[in-house]
């Protein structure tokens, strides 16, 4: 019996006709919501030259891959170790090849793998964007300290990618309350 993981191995890519660099962005973290698809739609709508990659997001396949490929094991610990080793091949290679690593943490599940991915990316000197609700910021303070950007929602991630890649800024989130830094610091402030 063959099991397809085609939907979990999709690579979302959008490019425009120019010879822009295509940035590889690894999407690490929780697999119980559609945050990856939301980012993919945002990247596509802004026509960013980005290739999105991720771990296998089928929880069952990720857990069972070792037993399916190599056969059943007597002990669950062996089963987990074999599957984790197989998944590690994909994860390590995709993180190493990525320009940016986005790490999503949710409130409901503990994402030890996402924390590990963030640490691995940091050790490799990768640019890291974390994505999580403000309510868990304290628990992630060390992870966030190694991130270049800490986002609260997927729109912020897409806007960050648009700025980093093309220098495009969205309308300020604070609307009319936004005050440019030159105005906040006053006259005589040396502008770049």
């Amino acid at each position: 019996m063959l099991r397809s993981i085609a939907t979990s191995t999709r690579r979302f890519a959008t490019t425009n006709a120019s010879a822009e660099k295509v940035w590889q962005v690894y999407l690490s973290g929780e697999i119980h919501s559609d945050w990856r698809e939301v980012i993919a739609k945002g990247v596509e709508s802004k026509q960013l030259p980005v290739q999105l990659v991720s771990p296998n997001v089928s929880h069952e396949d990720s857990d069972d891959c070792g037993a399916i490929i190599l056969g059943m094991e007597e002990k669950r610990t062996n089963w987990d170790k074999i599957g984790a080793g197989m998944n590690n091949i994909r994860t390590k290679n995709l993180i190493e090849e990525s320009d940016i690593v986005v790490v999503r943490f949710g409130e409901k599940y503990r994402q030890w793998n996402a924390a590990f991915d963030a640490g691995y990316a940091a050790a490799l000197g990768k640019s890291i964007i974390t994505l999580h609700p403000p309510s868990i910021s304290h628990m992630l303070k060390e992870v966030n300290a190694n991130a270049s950007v800490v986002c609260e929602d997927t729109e912020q991630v897409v806007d960050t990618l648009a700025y980093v890649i093309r220098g495009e800024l969205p309308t300020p989130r604070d609307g009319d309350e936004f005050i440019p830094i030159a105005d906040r610091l006053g006259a005589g402030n040396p502008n770049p």
Side-chain angles (χ1 to χ4, degrees):
M1 176 176 120
L2 293 176
R3 291 174 57 160
S4 172
I5 60 169
T7 57
S8 63
T9 59
R10 283 184 297 181
R11 291 176 181 242
F12 304 98
T14 60
T15 59
N16 62 20
S18 71
E20 284 183 290
K21 169 189 170 144
V22 176
W23 295 64
Q24 182 159 303
V25 178
Y26 184 81
L27 302 178
S28 170
E30 66 96 355
I31 60 172
H32 303 285
S33 69
D34 67 348
W35 70 275
R36 286 179 178 86
E37 286 77 17
V38 173
I39 288 175
K41 287 177 185 170
V43 163
E44 185 175 7
S45 75
K46 291 184 181 284
Q47 297 182 344
L48 297 175
V50 167
Q51 179 178 33
L52 299 173
V53 295
S54 70
N56 182 346
V57 296
S58 166
H59 198 170
E60 295 80 11
D61 290 352
S62 175
D63 285 349
D64 293 339
C65 62
I68 289 169
I69 295 168
L70 301 175
M72 296 287 289
E73 289 285 324
E74 289 292 321
K75 297 180 181 176
R76 176 66 195 224
T77 54
N78 293 342
W79 195 332
D80 284 345
K81 184 178 184 329
I82 293 168
M86 289 184 176
N87 291 318
N88 192 36
I89 294 169
R90 178 186 178 88
T91 299
K92 284 174 69 173
N93 280 283
L94 290 176
I95 289 175
E96 288 169 7
E97 294 169 359
S98 292
D99 299 296
I100 300 170
V101 176
V102 177
V103 187
R104 162 82 172 134
F105 295 92
E107 290 181 290
K108 187 173 180 182
Y109 300 97
R110 290 182 169 81
Q111 290 93 35
W112 308 120
N113 59 330
F116 185 85
D117 289 354
Y120 186 61
L124 293 173
K126 299 294 179 177
S127 297
I128 300 169
I129 299 171
T130 57
L131 169 61
H132 59 78
S135 60
I136 60 175
S137 290
H138 176 72
M139 293 175 271
L140 295 169
K141 64 184 178 291
E142 284 80 11
V143 175
N144 287 337
N146 284 285
S148 297
V149 182
V150 178
C151 296
E152 296 177 6
D153 60 51
T154 54
E155 183 180 10
Q156 289 177 333
V157 172
V158 173
D159 287 342
T160 298
L161 294 173
Y163 175 72
V164 168
I165 293 168
R166 292 210 177 121
E168 298 171 358
L169 285 172
T171 302
R173 280 193 168 232
D174 296 320
D176 293 338
E177 301 294 316
F178 173 75
I179 302 170
I181 194 157
D183 294 343
R184 284 185 277 153
L185 296 178
N189 178 51
N191 291 320

